[in-house]
Every structure is written in C-alpha cells, then in structure tokens.
Amino acid sequence: MDRSSLFQLIQEQLDPENTGFIPVENFTSLVEHHELQLDPSKLDMLFALVQCNEDGQVCYQELIELMSSKRSSSFRRAIANGRRTLQREILLDETGLGLYKRFVRYVAYEILPCETDRRWYFHQNRLCPPPVFIAVVTIIQIIVFMCYGIMLNKWVLQTYQPDFMKSPLVYHPGHRAQVWRFFSYMFMHVGLEQLGFNALLQLMIGVPLEMVHGILRISLLYMAGVLAGSLTVSITDMRAPVVGGSGGVYALCSAHLANVVMNWAGMRCPYKLLRMILALVCMSSEVGRAVWLRFSPPLPSSGPQPSFMAHLSGAVVGISMGLLILRSYEESLQKQCSWWVIVFSFITFLLFAIFWNIFAYELLGVQIPPPP
C-alpha cells in the first residue's frame, strides 16, 4: 500500500464525515496493522501522538504531515506537552552502527535536546545536501591566508604589513563605499593564531549545526553575524578596519551555547559543563586579545588596528537570531511572530547603519586614516 492509498483509506474509512479527526482506537489499529512500511522514528512519533492526546482524537492533518516527512509546530507542541514514552530504547543504545551513523548519532546528541528529535534526525538523515557551507568558507579562509603569508613572508600580525591592508577584501572605513568589503573581510585574518581559533570553532560547532539545521539557516546565521560585525564597527569604532571571520564564528558559538543553556536538562552531550566553561574562557580570551591589539599594539603602525566589536556584535546576533533558529528544529520560521520581530529589528539596524555610513562621518568630522 502506497502513501496515497493509505491517506485515502484514512479519509474514507476512519473519517467518513470529513471532520479532520480520527478516533484514537481506530488510529492505533491502523498503525499496527497497515501494510505501509514506516521507519522506526515515524512509528515512535505516531505512537507518541496517540499517547499524548487527551480528547480521544488524532488530527488528520498532523498525521498527513508526519507521513509526508513534515513536522508542524502544532504536532511538536502536542508531543512536547503530552505524556508519552518512546516505544524503543534510547538512540544511545543502538548497536551495530557503521562509522557514519555513529557520527550522525554523535551530532544528534551534541545539537538536539529532545530524544524524539534525536531519533527523528538520526533516521531521517541523508548526506544530501552535505554540510558544505562551513567547510567551503574555512577552506577559502585558509587559502587566502596561505597566499598572503607566502607573499608577505609573514604568518603573525599580518596587519602591520601595508600590502596586507591594501587587499580589496579588508574592510577599511576609507573604502566603505565598496559594499563587498562588509562581507569579504571574513576571509582575511590577523595571523595564524586568529585563523586557527576561528577555523577550529567553525568546524567543531558549525559543521554539526549545519548537518542538523541545514545550509540555509546556518549560512544565514553566519553571514548575519559577519554583516553585523562590520556594520557595528562602522558605527562604534569609526576609524578602525576589520579582518577575520569572528563575527560569524561568534554568532554560531553563542547561538549553540545559548541553546545548550536553555535546554540544559535535555542535552546529553558529555562533559557539557566543562566544555561550556572552556568555550567561554577561549572566546573571552580571544576578545581580550583583540582588545589588546586594538588599543595596545605591540608594534608601531601607520593607523588604527582592527576592531574587536565584530566579536561582540556576532555574539548578539547568535543569542537573538541564532537561538530562535536552533530552537525551531524543522519548524517554519516564517510562521513564528518572534522570527519576524528579529528580522524587523535586524533590517532596522541595517538601514540605520547605511544612513550612518553615508552621513555621520562628515557630520561628526571623523578623521579617517588614509586608506593604505
């Protein structure tokens, strides 16, 4: 029996009056005896839906969405609020898994706070599309750094080299009319230590997040952090250039850490408290290093050093926009009022920053250091 036949059977025999609801007894019998083969995660979710219902009925539309590999917010709320017990052992007890499936299970426990979500992701996971965004960004950053390292014969504090700051990728307030620089600065890095820190966090946190939440959401979060970083610098540190992908990295990290805190009881990643403390210490140390380079550079230079404000604005983007994205696993963001509030706030900030960059520098008489 295919899906269309099953749906027709449900509607004609179990809901002949077209009320949109099915009695729990008939529904349970259908699940246990129909000929359509379902994967274990869907069976778990179907039985959970039965158990959590208090009115003796199952919504036909929610059943159709589940069978079509869709999960509505109303269905998820019913599962979350109901008193249900999964029919199978927890995912962590699965045995005989291959290397890739063990990695998928690891990602599920790293990112998702609910056992039902973890089982759903584990059984629905397909390596298509692969998590390529974070990997591609990291590879480009490494290639760009290697090219400038070889050209300048310098692997640390590259911003002290005039040829480095002449790059068309660096954001410089004197070149702010070149709009691409508000994004392209993420491919340039001060030195090996900044590149290593960003690349490590991107791969350790960004790749699992992209595997679970998809390329569209994670790329949106990362690029929003990057754009917010350069715009914030243009407003708060108007004479400073910007290099490095810290805005996007801190958006990913702060969103993930905030999601772990908000769902602390449900997270099953090992040593989560120790790992969170280490992550906060590393992120704070990186911000402290950026502040030190901005105000107390170890070497004399011809102009201000890159700003640290991109780190902070990226963290704000992660906590606001990113937290909502990560908490809305497989739910439509467009249907959530809070999502539109965040989008409206970001667009308002964007418009303000555009007008600021057009008019404020001349009105305030800011002396911009000459472009390299």
Side-chain angles (χ1 to χ4, degrees), residues 68 101 156 183 199 219 221 280 291 325:
S68 304
K101 294 302 289 186
V156 295
F183 295 94
S219 61
L221 176 59
L280 292 175
V291 173
I325 290 176

Side-chain angles (χ1 to χ4, degrees), residues 10-81:
I10 294 173
Q11 187 171 18
E12 292 179 355
Q13 298 186 14
L14 304 185
D15 186 23
E17 298 180 2
N18 198 24
T19 63
F21 293 91
I22 305 169
V24 167
E25 295 80 6
N26 296 342
F27 174 77
T28 305
S29 176
L30 173 68
V31 171
E32 292 177 346
H33 298 100
H34 74 75
E35 300 175 0
L36 179 64
Q37 297 298 317
L38 295 176
D39 61 59
S41 65
K42 287 188 177 180
L43 286 175
D44 286 339
M45 300 292 283
L46 287 170
F47 280 111
L49 181 61
V50 172
Q51 294 172 5
C52 77
N53 186 272
E54 298 179 355
D55 299 325
Q57 294 179 322
V58 175
C59 178
Y60 171 75
Q61 183 60 37
E62 289 174 350
L63 172 62
I64 298 302
E65 290 177 344
L66 176 63
M67 300 290 287
S68 304
S69 297
K70 297 179 181 179
R71 299 171 68 188
S72 66
S73 58
S74 59
F75 176 83
R76 285 173 50 82
R77 283 195 300 270
I79 296 298
N81 296 330

Side-chain angles (χ1 to χ4, degrees), residues 179 182-183 185 222-232 248 313 346 349-350:
V179 179
F182 286 90
F183 295 94
Y185 77 92
Y222 188 91
M223 297 307 295
V226 169
L227 179 59
S230 55
L231 291 177
T232 301
S313 58
F346 191 85
F349 166 73
L350 178 62

Side-chain angles (χ1 to χ4, degrees), residues 84-103:
R84 90 284 191 206
T85 303
L86 294 176
Q87 303 299 304
R88 297 165 55 87
E89 298 294 329
I90 62 174
L91 181 59
L92 202 59
D93 295 333
E94 292 269 3
T95 58
L97 299 177
L99 180 61
Y100 173 70
K101 294 302 289 186
R102 288 202 300 269
F103 178 67

Side-chain angles (χ1 to χ4, degrees), residues 116-130:
T116 304
D117 283 344
R118 289 191 284 260
R119 293 196 62 84
W120 176 272
Y121 168 72
F122 179 80
H123 289 286
Q124 290 290 110
N125 177 262
R126 303 289 185 272
L127 195 59
C128 184

